[in-house]
Amino acid sequence: MSQLFSPLSLGQVTLDNRIIIAPMCQYSANNGAASDWHTIHLGQLSLSGAGLLILEATAVNPVGRISYGDLGLWNNETQQALGKSLKVVRQYSPMPIGIQLAHAGRKASTEKPWDGGDAIAPDEVNGWQTFAPSAIAYDDSSPVPKAMSQSDIDSLVKDFVSAAKRADELGLDLIELHGAHGYLLHQFLSPLSNKRDDNYGGSLENRMRLLLEVFKAVRAVFPSEKAVGVRISATDWVEGGWDLEQSIVLSKALDELGCDFIHVSTAGLSPEQQIPVKPNFQVPFATAIKEAVNMPVIAVGLITQAQQAEDIISEQQADGVALARGILYNPHWPWHAAAELGATVTAPKQYLRSSPHGQPSPIK
């Protein structure tokens, strides 16, 4: 029996299989509000047969967006727009749906990637003042962010709480806090971007403080039967930056607080990163963290083949695997993996006859 297609529990949320659709920004929102594109996009992914769909990085306030096209969840308008898309999706898919709550910090205020992705200065159209733990720009071409005051930090935590409440009202099953890829919570973690001399900087304990405060605040308002987890970058791939040893300390602290899962990626904080990209290149980080915690660990990164994913699970390198670009390229990846591994997936009745002539159908 395929281990990839065995159930997985993230807290009290049970998935039919261990294939997770990772958050993927679409840069197609209007002032933070989901558009018709989101309805089409999410509808397609919700019919993929995966165990879980996590919505793209969703900003908890307007200045937390990566670009002016980012999805947001900070007021009634953004909540209602996303609710409209979710209502359509849920008519046809029983798949659990989560959301990644985020703040981009110093990597905010940029162009959409297909328009170059460059930083936009605060005084330019579609730009705004960015915030970060310290007044250190991401690179030489980016504006210097404003170092956050204690008041800014307090407001940020409240914004995460407000977004979490809205996520619950939308009926979402899960929240993933975005502490990876060089965005704000990751910026507080890394000594490369955090040069503060208060309770949020310096020691590892202090640099972890904000992420742990956000987790506790969100967990307190999100129903216990729903899951709250965290995505991290396990290393900056830069000498003197955030690394696996610190990630294990953070993961243990989250585990003790009742975190329901940890989603292990890498990189994104510094343009100086040197990444040895190859299949499974991030999996060893997930494995090392899995050995240190009780909560489920999700691996990600160039996982493209069914047997590759099966081996990660069966060899207990991770508890779940997440696909991003691979499932955009092939939205029925779980169907094909199930057929290869002799398993089945849930799909709409309209697709029951979709398998090529003479081939067994993986659809139930």
Side-chain angles (χ1 to χ4, degrees):
M1 178 180 175
S2 168
Q3 294 302 300
L4 181 64
F5 287 91
S6 64
L8 173 65
S9 292
L10 305 179
Q12 296 183 46
V13 177
T14 299
L15 316 183
D16 287 344
N17 61 60
R18 295 166 185 256
I19 302 169
I20 290 141
I21 301 175
M24 293 172 282
C25 291
Q26 297 298 295
Y27 307 100
S28 299
N30 301 310
N31 296 318
S35 64
D36 289 343
W37 171 257
H38 290 91
T39 305
I40 297 169
H41 169 67
L42 298 174
Q44 174 178 243
L45 294 181
S46 73
L47 304 180
S48 66
L52 171 68
L53 168 59
I54 305 179
L55 304 188
E56 65 193 84
T58 303
V60 298
N61 58 40
V63 299
R65 294 173 294 167
I66 303 166
S67 80
Y68 57 90
D70 279 32
L71 194 64
L73 189 57
W74 62 71
N75 59 15
N76 291 340
E77 289 72 24
T78 54
Q79 181 177 343
Q80 289 165 4
L82 183 54
K84 179 182 176 182
S85 292
L86 291 172
K87 182 179 180 181
V88 174
V89 170
R90 288 199 179 98
Q91 288 184 66
Y92 301 104
S93 174
M95 183 184 294
I97 301 176
I99 189 168
Q100 186 185 67
L101 297 182
H103 190 296
R106 69 181 188 179
K107 292 180 74 175
S109 186
T110 69
E111 270 291 357
K112 297 178 181 182
W114 50 80
D115 291 327
D118 296 333
I120 302 176
D123 58 350
E124 294 180 2
V125 176
N126 294 324
W128 58 84
Q129 176 63 56
T130 59
F131 293 81
S134 302
I136 303 171
Y138 173 72
D139 58 22
D140 293 340
S141 63
S142 298
V144 175
K146 176 182 179 292
M148 294 177 72
S149 66
Q150 183 63 56
S151 175
D152 293 330
I153 291 173
D154 293 343
S155 294
L156 176 76
V157 175
K158 291 178 182 177
D159 288 341
F160 269 97
V161 166
S162 176
K165 291 178 178 178
R166 293 182 183 278
D168 177 42
E169 291 171 1
L170 287 169
L172 291 163
D173 302 288
L174 173 150
I175 286 174
E176 178 176 275
L177 300 176
H178 199 354
H181 300 163
Y183 299 120
L184 184 62
L185 297 180
H186 183 182
Q187 291 163 28
F188 271 85
L189 293 174
S190 177
L192 299 177
S193 49
N194 184 345
K195 303 295 183 181
R196 300 175 71 94
D197 58 7
D198 62 0
N199 289 337
Y200 293 92
S203 68
L204 175 57
E205 178 184 8
N206 282 356
R207 286 182 281 115
M208 288 169 27
R209 189 180 306 278
L210 178 59
L211 193 155
L212 297 179
E213 285 182 352
V214 169
F215 174 83
K216 286 187 285 188
V218 167
R219 180 70 282 180
V221 299
F222 203 57
S224 60
E225 68 273 14
K226 300 184 177 187
V228 179
V230 177
R231 193 173 199 186
I232 65 167
S233 283
T235 178
D236 290 337
W237 296 109
V238 179
E239 186 71 27
W242 183 256
D243 57 20
L244 177 59
E245 182 180 358
Q246 296 172 87
S247 294
I248 290 173
V249 176
L250 172 63
S251 299
K252 287 181 175 180
L254 286 166
D255 208 30
E256 291 176 0
L257 291 174
C259 189
D260 290 313
F261 66 92
I262 190 158
H263 188 172
V264 182
S265 186
T266 66
L269 184 104
S270 169
E272 297 178 10
Q273 63 192 20
Q274 298 293 319
I275 309 173
V277 178
K278 60 182 180 180
N280 283 15
F281 76 103
Q282 295 177 145
V283 175
F285 296 96
T287 304
I289 289 172
K290 178 174 168 57
E291 292 171 352
V293 299
N294 295 313
M295 62 180 159
V297 177
I298 300 167
V300 68
L302 280 181
I303 300 169
T304 59
Q305 304 300 314
Q307 191 61 54
Q308 175 192 12
E310 176 73 18
D311 291 344
I312 290 169
I313 303 302
S314 63
E315 294 171 10
Q316 299 185 16
Q317 298 174 59
D319 300 291
V321 296
L323 280 74
R325 298 177 190 183
I327 210 160
L328 284 184
Y329 188 72
N330 179 7
H332 290 155
W333 190 96
W335 293 17
H336 303 151
E340 181 177 334
L341 298 171
T344 57
V345 293
T346 299
K349 294 177 181 179
Q350 292 91 331
Y351 291 166
L352 286 175
R353 298 185 294 169
S354 63
S355 295
H357 179 71
Q359 294 188 18
S361 174
I363 300 171
K364 61 180 178 181

